[in-house]
Amino acid sequence: MSGTMAEKVWDAHVVHPGGDGEPDLLYIDLHLIHEVTSPQAFDGLRAAGRPVRRPDLTLATEDHNVPTVDIDRPIADPVSRAQVEALRANCAEFGVPLFPLGDAEQGIVHVVGPQLGLTQPGMTVVCGDSHTSTHGAFGALAFGIGTSEVEHVLATQSLPLKPFRTMAVTVDGELPEGVTAKDIILAVIAQIGTGGGQGYVIEYRGSAIESLSMEARMTICNMSIEAGARAGMIAPDETTFTYLKGRDHAPTGTDWDDAVAYWSQLRSDPDAEFDREVVIDAASLSPFVTWGTNPGQGLPLSEVVPSPDDFADEVQRHAAQRALEYMGLTPGTPLRDITVDTVFVGSCTNGRIEDLRAVADILRGRRVADGVRVLVVPGSVRVREQAEAEGLGEIFQAAGAEWREAGCSMCLAMNPDKLTPGERAASTSNRNFEGRQGPGGRTHLVSPQVAAATAITGRLTAPADLAV
Amino acid sequence: MEAFVVHEGTAAPLRHSNVDTDQIIPAEYLKRITRTGFHDGLFAAWRTDPDFVLNRPHHQGVSILVAGPDFGTGSSREHAVWALQDYGFRVVVSSRFADIFRSNAGKNGLLPALVDQSTLERLWEIVEATPDIPVLVDLDAQEIRAGDLVAPFDVDPAVKWRLLNGLDDIAITLSHAAEIDRFEEQRPAFKPVTSS
């Protein structure tokens, strides 16, 4: 094997080489599905009389529009209910394993796969959801697909694809105290732009990346799509192997040894050439927040709201102008002076146990600011139960936060958890688009630590700013 | 996918240019969970007008749409193609198609037949004069015939090959089924399965 990690994983999955500009046919090791992008795919199978080729490589969960309260009652919204019911019927008809609402394994599709040990290095993973890039944290080639492609993978367990270009993002050095994976990825996106990764698979590397936990690596790969990239990857190492060992679907016995031997060869060769390279000094990073309406419009929390005149580029200046109007912000305002109405902790970006521990560490013994609504939504039922076992749920509630059931929730507001017009939120999710968290809602993307500190003061705050 | 070699049917003249996919099917119909049944969303806004071409009694049961240039612009929604097919269309004739629509149509088995503007005008006149006139679309010969009109049309060679053979993308991939089988036999034993 030679080349970059992405190329190695690609080459190991070519079923039929395209050649001459034609796509390669690539085998798919794991296909994750959910209720929103799968109904028409199953309908297409039915119309053509085709079965699901490998139900045993397919897994469904209900996440995008499930409620996070009263989950034992019927789903009130008829559109959400119809999608969930369709998923249940389709999974039963085609023999696809499903974790429905109320199941001990239910949760956000990108939290469920890794926690079960289904996401492993060197695999190809797809899902009808752009944040499938999350799974790249294990050294898997993982990317989002459309509904026609969902049907294609259900029917054939493979997908015709043209090769991606490769980009290396190297983050070397030591992260300052209080700087997290979320701050790294927001800084990367601010640097290369929301279109900077277009057509690329990004490999994140360097000592600062290697020092991160699996949860933190997932946060980084998750938001590769916000830089325009189809996928993000991090080379598997001891941290990866330790995370996987003993999980439900991880290999055991001699299979484990074979797997580790294989996984260990996947990292990019020292002389591998990337189509583009970006270098970031970890020591220069600090807690990052977004001020605008795309994930690239972010700044260190110590800065002020920019003026459109700060942007030399005409398109960026216009975008900034429009974003400031939508966000209701005045140039020159210190970001720390921005007050919020709501704090949302959760999503496939920051809804894992490590994220909840970080939030609990800050909320412990403190109270949420008056008038601030705080939602803590675990990424899965397992995460919720782990948090309960560690006493985190009690800490959230004692601080005045709402401790919810698992799902995508306010990240995309397909369920009842929404912002109202003009309402401002600090959110640990991944998209600050206009109306993303509810029509007219205003979103500032932040790390779990900044979200927790913000909940205490009611304005954008880093943990270090809190009085001891 | 059903093979398309020769199709004979009646045609509806749609004298509009720049028919975007929002007009073909509005966004509110995208919340549905089925792949079929989008016929009622087709041209939903225009169909509220009793005089709209598809509402006219002598254009019932049509299967060929003859539309103005830049058909299918805007949103990439595949639902636009599904809606046309669900309504009964097998061919859209136009003097220019939007790229994504043309690609989506080919993938789903709806023939996008590209003609020059003079052929389009002539076809409109013939169909408007005699609404029930049979229109023949011969894909192999790339020819349209209606009354005394015999005109060539253009189609992407790959789309033509797929339609003539009745192959959709999935069928093409399934033509490599033996290679998929072989690949699966060689997959390492340590790869996980989702069944418990």
Side-chain angles (χ1 to χ4, degrees):
Chain A
M1 290 201 281
S2 67
T4 65
M5 177 167 47
E7 289 160 351
K8 290 180 187 184
V9 178
W10 182 286
D11 291 345
H13 288 83
V14 175
V15 171
H16 176 84
D20 201 26
E22 289 298 304
D24 287 342
L25 186 64
L26 233 55
Y27 197 79
I28 303 301
D29 288 317
L30 178 64
H31 185 194
L32 301 166
I33 60 179
H34 60 86
E35 75 275 17
V36 175
T37 55
S38 67
Q40 280 101 352
F42 281 110
D43 224 31
L45 289 185
R46 242 188 313 269
R50 292 181 173 128
V52 173
R53 181 181 174 95
R54 294 295 300 267
D56 61 331
L57 301 184
T58 312
L59 181 69
T61 182
E62 295 167 5
D63 58 4
H64 275 63
N65 55 33
V66 297
T68 56
V69 291
D70 299 330
I71 63 166
D72 49 345
R73 292 197 214 143
I75 300 173
D77 176 58
V79 175
S80 297
R81 192 169 66 233
Q83 289 190 329
V84 164
E85 284 171 356
L87 183 67
R88 291 176 189 177
N90 287 327
C91 287
E93 180 181 344
F94 289 91
V96 172
L98 165 71
F99 299 139
L101 189 60
D103 190 278
E105 297 298 349
Q106 180 264 341
I108 305 174
V109 66
H110 309 308
V111 176
V112 168
Q115 76 185 7
L116 285 170
L118 279 168
T119 304
Q120 297 173 13
M123 287 173 64
T124 46
V125 181
V126 298
C127 175
D129 185 277
S130 60
H131 288 111
T132 309
S133 56
T134 311
H135 306 264
F138 292 80
L141 182 60
F143 48 90
I145 55 177
T147 294
S148 287
E149 293 169 308
V150 170
E151 181 183 341
H152 198 111
V153 176
L154 287 171
T156 69
Q157 203 58 38
S158 58
L159 204 56
L161 284 169
K162 293 194 177 175
F164 307 129
R165 289 179 291 174
T166 56
M167 183 192 301
V169 171
T170 305
V171 190
D172 270 325
E174 203 166 323
L175 285 173
E177 179 81 19
V179 177
T180 70
K182 186 64 162 282
D183 304 310
I184 295 176
I185 190 62
L186 285 174
V188 168
I189 299 165
Q191 180 165 332
I192 71 172
T194 52
Q198 210 101 56
Y200 289 95
V201 174
I202 298 177
E203 180 179 331
Y204 303 94
R205 55 208 323 233
S207 58
I209 300 293
E210 287 163 21
S211 72
L212 297 174
S213 69
M214 286 314 297
E215 282 88 347
R217 294 178 188 187
M218 283 188 254
T219 299
I220 289 187
C221 288
N222 171 275
M223 288 190 70
S224 302
I225 186 75
E226 270 66 59
R230 194 83 188 265
M233 296 178 92
I234 294 173
D237 59 9
E238 279 307 317
T239 303
T240 320
F241 307 152
T242 304
Y243 177 96
L244 278 167
K245 192 161 179 106
R247 291 196 181 257
D248 301 53
H249 291 269
T252 54
T254 55
D255 276 352
W256 172 262
D257 300 333
D258 292 349
V260 171
Y262 175 67
W263 298 342
S264 303
Q265 310 165 37
L266 293 170
R267 69 175 44 243
S268 295
D269 295 325
D271 58 349
E273 283 185 24
F274 292 87
D275 298 310
R276 187 178 170 192
E277 299 209 40
V278 173
V279 178
I280 286 175
D281 175 16
S284 72
L285 298 174
S286 64
F288 226 79
V289 302
T290 62
W291 52 267
T293 53
N294 76 55
Q297 291 174 323
L299 280 171
L301 180 56
S302 53
E303 299 277 341
V304 299
V305 174
S307 162
D309 298 336
D310 299 344
F311 298 90
D313 178 77
E314 174 70 36
V315 175
Q316 284 196 33
R317 185 161 58 240
H318 183 74
Q321 175 78 42
R322 195 185 148 85
L324 292 177
E325 281 168 24
Y326 180 85
M327 293 295 288
L329 294 174
T330 308
T333 308
L335 294 169
R336 280 192 167 92
D337 287 354
I338 296 173
T339 58
V340 303
D341 308 297
T342 290
V343 173
F344 172 66
V345 175
S347 85
C348 59
T349 309
N350 283 122
R352 285 171 284 267
I353 188 66
E354 188 179 282
D355 302 312
L356 299 193
R357 285 180 191 141
V359 170
D361 280 347
I362 293 162
L363 293 188
R364 189 179 284 113
R366 293 190 169 106
R367 284 289 300 174
V368 166
D370 283 346
V372 175
R373 166 170 73 139
V374 181
L375 263 64
V376 182
V377 183
S380 70
V381 175
R382 274 202 196 195
V383 168
R384 185 182 158 89
E385 287 180 352
Q386 177 74 27
E388 285 282 317
E390 295 179 16
L392 309 186
E394 279 171 44
I395 293 169
F396 300 142
Q397 286 172 308
E402 297 176 40
W403 173 223
R404 298 291 191 88
E405 305 286 345
C408 297
S409 180
M410 197 183 272
C411 174
L412 79 172
M414 275 190 85
N415 80 342
D417 307 334
K418 298 180 202 303
L419 296 179
T420 53
E423 193 176 348
R424 186 182 300 280
S427 176
T428 68
S429 56
N430 43 57
R431 286 180 177 150
N432 52 341
F433 297 156
E434 292 184 14
R436 166 82 174 181
Q437 297 194 284
R442 295 161 168 169
T443 302
H444 296 274
L445 300 177
V446 298
S447 69
Q449 286 81 347
V450 169
T454 299
I456 301 301
T457 63
R459 48 191 172 74
L460 294 178
T461 303
D465 304 336
L466 293 173
V468 186
Chain B
M1 197 164 84
E2 202 182 330
F4 188 118
V5 183
V6 177
H7 174 76
E8 193 177 57
T10 53
L14 183 64
R15 282 190 181 262
H16 287 278
S17 63
N18 279 291
V19 177
D20 63 65
T21 53
D22 266 283
Q23 293 302 332
I24 299 173
I25 187 163
E28 66 193 80
Y29 290 89
L30 311 191
K31 283 183 181 172
R32 297 206 174 153
I33 56 173
T34 54
R35 175 84 174 243
T36 54
F38 288 94
H39 55 277
D40 57 341
L42 181 70
F43 299 123
W46 289 344
R47 271 161 79 190
T48 59
D49 171 8
D51 199 38
F52 179 61
V53 61
L54 295 184
N55 290 335
R56 295 180 203 149
H58 47 266
H59 284 308
Q60 300 309 298
V62 290
S63 57
I64 299 163
L65 185 68
V66 185
D70 293 313
F71 187 83
T73 55
S75 151
S76 65
R77 59 190 66 164
E78 228 168 293
H79 304 68
V81 173
W82 302 344
L84 285 161
Q85 289 180 307
D86 288 346
Y87 188 85
F89 287 111
R90 302 227 40 214
V91 183
V92 179
V93 180
S94 177
S95 54
R96 197 159 53 227
F97 290 99
D99 281 345
I100 296 175
F101 177 85
R102 186 142 76 141
S103 153
N104 283 343
K107 269 185 185 175
N108 285 278
L110 177 72
L111 174 63
L114 185 70
V115 297
D116 57 34
Q117 189 63 28
S118 61
T119 301
L120 186 75
E121 302 277 354
R122 185 82 191 93
L123 205 49
W124 273 338
E125 287 163 15
I126 292 169
V127 173
E128 280 165 357
T130 320
D132 59 352
I133 194 166
V135 178
L136 187 110
V137 180
D138 182 337
L139 178 55
D140 199 25
Q142 289 187 218
E143 214 167 67
I144 297 178
R145 289 181 219 167
D148 60 354
L149 174 79
V150 180
F153 68 85
D154 198 18
V155 61
D156 179 78
V159 169
K160 178 179 178 178
W161 176 75
R162 271 197 307 218
L163 287 175
L164 283 174
N165 293 286
L167 296 173
D168 56 19
D169 277 358
I170 293 176
I172 293 167
T173 293
L174 289 175
S175 74
H176 301 297
E179 287 163 276
I180 301 175
D181 290 342
R182 269 200 299 284
F183 187 92
E184 286 184 332
E185 283 163 19
Q186 289 164 10
R187 290 179 79 231
F190 57 75
K191 294 268 185 174
V193 293
T194 56
S195 43
S196 42

